[in-house]
Amino acid sequence: MGTSWRKNGGVTPNDAAALLPDELLERFRARAAVHDRENTFPDDDLADLKDAGYLAILVPRELGGAGLGLAEASVLQQRLAGAAPATALAINMHLVWTGVAKVLADRGIDALRFVQEGAAAGEVFAFGISEAGNDLVLFGSGTDAAPLPDGGYSFTGTKIFTSLAPVWTQLGLHGLDTSSEDAPRMVYAFVPRSEVQVGRVVVRDDWDTLGMRGTQSRTTELRDAVAPADRVVRRLAPGPNPDPLVFGIFSVFELLLASVYTGIARRALDLAVAAAGKRTSKRTGKAYSQDPDIRWRIADMALAYDALPPQIQTLARDVDELADHGAQWFSLLAGVKHRAVTAAKSIVDDAVLVAGGSSYFSGNELSRLYRDVLAGPFHPSDPESAHSTVATAWLGPLQD
């Protein structure tokens, strides 16, 4: 499958079923229940996705990738998330960096070419941005970034929710340099896995959560972890910044994250429809699909779901095509992520009600989806940040 991508060039969203065939997704779905129960990382899923060339779907064809756009990758991530949400969310963080590399390259900036080449060669890139209590996210950091004489940086601090923790080969992160002549500066760089072997990166085995257990998004301690000079990709002033790297991270992260939770919503809707067709009312003798209340509930789910894919597709295509939404960009991106995760949670809630008491058992797929979907609001932009961003876009900043 992976070979055909590279041989035949780019693909369209209509090829999603061919690129992620049903039989592969069913294997992922069966494994998802095991990884959720045992709290383990989906190594077999990752191996299958590597074999398929999935890690390089956003890498240009001339560099060994599939040459897809963000809009096409979104469709694939929705499909993958419908089978194995934790696998999709974990891979999402790798795809964020390859997506950022594409956003920069499309705008004439070659700073992340090593990410594209690495992904095509099988490297796994993790996203080390989140920090406990850091509501500045991209605009500030509690991690110290100390410049080294050779142009590299050493990072000291703690990152949380580091998906792909057991398998990443490069950790993309940020920290705050307060010691340089032009300080303070936000420093974005990549730390290699070899820093784990020498003890300057410590990956805690502390991921025991309500849902999304297969992501193994463990806490990462940085103890003077070294990023070589050729892996220091940006030094920016703290605070809101129009730099293409910041835009790239924000846009790709929000859109691919929205895609994962939209995929969960679609799977929950499909399961609800199937349950309504199978369950029979003792009172009427008819299938629940003929019950007006159940029909209304499923219709309400579908009304919420149907709005999501077109929104994501439109904004993802705008990123691909370098559309200019000016100051509205961050509001639009935060908004689509917020709507996707809140709608997905509501849809899964309703699916559980349609399916009835059987969904309350831990072995039921809806039980797992119910827990997985709860992770959505924790990802940036969280509800408070999203509302603040949108309020500023429409009302202007708060006055002192």
Side-chain angles (χ1 to χ4, degrees), residues 121-389:
E123 286 210 68
V124 178
F125 293 84
F127 195 71
I129 299 295
S130 295
E131 299 168 346
N134 180 17
D135 56 358
L136 294 171
V137 193
L138 294 177
F139 303 146
S141 176
T143 297
D144 178 68
L148 299 174
D150 64 357
Y153 268 85
S154 67
F155 292 85
T156 300
T158 301
K159 303 293 185 176
I160 60 173
F161 297 139
T162 312
S163 300
L164 300 165
V167 297
W168 59 261
T169 61
Q170 297 280 339
L171 177 63
L173 46 68
H174 71 354
L176 184 64
D177 174 5
T178 59
S179 63
S180 299
E181 291 183 0
D182 59 349
R185 281 291 183 269
M186 291 294 300
V187 181
Y188 290 84
F190 288 78
V191 169
R193 189 80 187 191
S194 57
E195 292 297 281
V196 174
Q197 278 79 62
V198 298
R200 289 192 288 263
V201 173
V202 176
V203 179
R204 296 184 198 164
D205 188 4
D206 61 353
W207 188 248
D208 188 7
T209 51
L210 182 67
M212 288 295 187
R213 287 157 66 82
T215 65
Q216 290 300 301
S217 305
R218 304 172 186 178
T219 301
T220 303
E221 297 179 19
L222 307 168
R223 303 174 179 178
D224 290 322
V226 175
D230 62 353
R231 294 295 183 262
V232 176
V233 296
R234 238 13 175 219
R235 297 179 72 258
L236 304 172
N241 197 306
D243 188 89
L245 179 72
V246 174
F247 172 75
I249 292 174
F250 196 85
S251 60
V252 179
F253 187 93
E254 298 292 80
L255 289 167
L256 290 184
L257 197 75
S259 303
V260 167
Y261 288 91
T262 297
I264 297 174
R266 174 54 188 264
R267 178 60 178 173
L269 177 56
D270 288 342
L271 289 173
V273 170
K278 292 177 181 177
R279 299 181 68 202
T280 302
S281 169
K282 293 292 186 183
R283 180 174 57 84
T284 66
K286 295 180 180 179
Y288 273 93
S289 60
Q290 301 305 305
D291 182 288
D293 292 332
I294 296 295
R295 293 175 68 86
W296 182 92
R297 192 176 295 279
I298 289 179
D300 204 46
M301 295 163 64
L303 286 168
Y305 167 76
D306 285 343
L308 297 177
Q311 294 178 54
I312 298 170
Q313 190 75 5
T314 296
L315 282 178
R317 188 177 296 114
D318 282 353
V319 174
D320 287 334
E321 297 178 356
L322 281 64
D324 183 9
H325 290 294
Q328 291 291 325
W329 255 126
F330 287 94
S331 172
L332 293 171
L333 293 164
V336 75
K337 180 270 175 178
H338 176 76
R339 288 190 295 275
V341 300
T342 55
K345 183 178 181 299
S346 176
I347 289 168
V348 175
D349 283 344
D350 280 341
V352 167
L353 293 176
V354 170
S358 64
S359 64
Y360 195 63
F361 284 82
S362 60
N364 189 292
E365 185 179 354
L366 275 173
S367 173
R368 176 166 51 79
L369 296 184
Y370 183 83
R371 290 180 291 105
D372 282 348
V373 80
L374 293 178
F378 291 105
H379 306 290
S381 297
D382 63 24
E384 294 78 15
S385 177
H387 281 81
S388 175
T389 298

Side-chain angles (χ1 to χ4, degrees), residues 12-201:
T12 68
N14 291 333
D15 295 316
L19 298 176
L20 287 174
D22 289 342
E23 59 269 22
L24 181 61
L25 294 180
E26 285 304 318
R27 291 206 301 272
F28 289 172
R29 182 171 291 118
R31 293 170 186 163
V34 176
H35 293 302
D36 174 68
R37 183 173 63 251
E38 298 180 354
N39 194 28
T40 52
F41 183 79
D43 291 290
D44 290 341
D45 290 2
L46 178 61
D48 285 340
L49 291 170
K50 277 188 176 182
D51 288 344
Y54 200 83
L55 298 187
I57 57 174
L58 288 166
V59 175
R61 294 192 297 276
E62 60 269 23
L63 295 180
L68 304 191
L70 189 59
E72 297 164 313
S74 168
V75 174
L76 291 172
Q77 280 297 90
Q78 290 174 48
R79 185 167 169 80
L80 179 57
T87 296
L89 185 59
I91 294 300
N92 226 51
M93 302 311 166
H94 168 88
L95 294 179
V96 166
W97 282 124
T98 61
V100 173
K102 173 179 165 48
V103 167
L104 293 182
D106 288 345
R107 289 155 179 78
I109 302 169
D110 208 26
L112 292 183
R113 184 185 176 98
F114 70 89
V115 170
Q116 297 173 317
E117 293 173 341
E123 286 210 68
V124 178
F125 293 84
F127 195 71
I129 299 295
S130 295
E131 299 168 346
N134 180 17
D135 56 358
L136 294 171
V137 193
L138 294 177
F139 303 146
S141 176
T143 297
D144 178 68
L148 299 174
D150 64 357
Y153 268 85
S154 67
F155 292 85
T156 300
T158 301
K159 303 293 185 176
I160 60 173
F161 297 139
T162 312
S163 300
L164 300 165
V167 297
W168 59 261
T169 61
Q170 297 280 339
L171 177 63
L173 46 68
H174 71 354
L176 184 64
D177 174 5
T178 59
S179 63
S180 299
E181 291 183 0
D182 59 349
R185 281 291 183 269
M186 291 294 300
V187 181
Y188 290 84
F190 288 78
V191 169
R193 189 80 187 191
S194 57
E195 292 297 281
V196 174
Q197 278 79 62
V198 298
R200 289 192 288 263
V201 173

